[in-house]
Amino acid sequence: MTFASQERRRCASNDALASTFSASYAGVVAFIAVATEGSFARAADRLGIGRSAVSRSVQKLEAQLGARLFLRTTRSTSLTREGELFYRNCHPGVERIVQALEDMRDLREGPPRGQLRISAAVGFGRRIVAPLLNGFRARFPDIAIDLLLDDRAMDFSTDRLDVAFRNGRMEDSQVIAKRLMPMPMMVCASPAYVRAHGLPRRVEDLAGHACIKFRTASGRIVEWEFKVAGRNQKFLPSSTFTFNDDELVLQAVLDGQGLAQMGGCQISEHLREGRLVACLAPYAPDDRAHYLCYVSRRQLPARIRVFIDYMTTAIRALDPQGAAGLTLGPGAVAGKAREVLAAGIA
């Protein structure tokens, strides 16, 4: 047998299977409707099709099964013994299909319910996302939350995510990304470090300072970014400490162990309270951002829609960057740190 003849036979077999399944499915639906309603006419009304179409579907099904399913008279329609057996076997499956269709409609159109699987970077998840979840649950008590904190970029399909919070610059064109707030990157030190070592005034001055670096979950050391002469540049300083946890990086800076470049969300409160001093403001890189990401705008279940709307509004209202305190012009610093430099300590 040639390949062409084999392929024709395979296609013919698939077409026969498809047509058989189609006829069987239509016949079973028509059969269940007639058995439930006790009438071909009422079954036709329920299905929204003509009585003759219902009758043809049932006749095709009876021909496939080789059995008569209904006893028809001018006054009544009743099941045969074979029909009763077939109904008992089919009914649970059809009910499950109907329930599945109703469940899908409820998820899209009904009250928000079900489980949400969410991912976020560790720092942003702890500081911003997690504190807002209680308010969300109070408003939508039928939605269960599964929050995964991970600094690696998790995959929507592999990790079965509904929503992901991502930081930086969005390069994945396969997802919808809503910009929540800016993510300014600033080089900071503690006042104690400033008193002992001063602050760099140019990027090249970093070579004379202790620096603290961050290692990602993949093992990559994160380069520092600056904008010099209108162009973005990456810089990898020598380090006294390297951590794979951004809280340890922050703590080392607060302890006066060196400088680190960190996101505004992580350091805003410390800058306002004077526990940190920012420097190299004229070389600050173009803002990154925090994003809320999901796969598609179409046919979103209600639980995902309300979560996106709630978190977008709540996070934008937080102003966690403290814009008034973190908008640093050249040579400027925030909060009490200005007092430190004004005293001539730097």
Side-chain angles (χ1 to χ4, degrees), residues 205-248:
D205 294 342
L206 287 170
H209 286 269
C211 297
I212 301 166
K213 295 187 295 191
F214 176 73
R215 184 189 302 275
T216 68
S218 66
R220 181 179 65 86
I221 302 294
V222 176
E223 296 173 301
W224 295 10
E225 291 190 17
F226 299 97
K227 193 166 188 177
V228 181
R231 299 179 60 185
N232 285 331
Q233 293 186 3
K234 292 187 176 181
F235 177 79
L236 189 61
S238 57
S239 63
T240 52
F241 288 105
T242 300
F243 299 105
N244 68 347
D245 183 283
D246 62 358
E247 288 294 329
L248 293 179

Side-chain angles (χ1 to χ4, degrees), residues 11 19 37 65 89 97 103-104 107 121-122 174 176 182 210 226 236 242 244 257 280 292 320 339:
C11 291
S19 61
E37 297 295 331
L65 298 176
N89 289 334
I97 292 172
D103 287 347
M104 291 300 100
L107 286 176
V122 176
Q174 302 301 311
I176 309 300
F226 299 97
L236 189 61
T242 300
N244 68 347
Q257 297 301 314
L280 298 177
L292 187 155
E339 302 172 9

